[in-house]
Amino acid sequence: MSMTVVGIAIGAFVAFMSFQFGFWGFVISLLFMGIGALLGRAADGKLDLRSVLDAITGRRSSS
């Protein structure tokens, strides 16, 4: 599946959520999509959640 098709599907989903559930449905769907993307990258091994958490809390620098 090409990235264009994936982008169209995501856009259709977000549009459906905004029309069906209003602004807050739109915001919540974007929030869950972002969480899912982060967890998916972590499952693939492309993102280290511990280093992200350390950077957010200020324990380590991100650079």
Side-chain angles (χ1 to χ4, degrees):
M1 189 180 315
S2 71
M3 294 307 291
T4 303
V5 174
V6 172
I8 290 170
I10 291 171
F13 173 74
V14 171
F16 170 76
M17 293 301 285
S18 65
F19 288 134
Q20 188 69 26
F21 300 109
F23 177 73
W24 291 111
F26 171 74
V27 170
I28 290 172
S29 67
L30 287 180
L31 176 71
F32 283 130
M33 287 170 67
I35 291 170
L38 287 175
L39 292 176
R41 301 253 324 157
D44 284 341
K46 296 181 180 179
L47 179 67
D48 183 19
L49 290 178
R50 184 173 309 276
S51 63
V52 171
L53 182 63
D54 288 344
I56 290 172
T57 58
R59 292 185 199 170
R60 278 192 229 157
S61 173
S62 61
S63 58

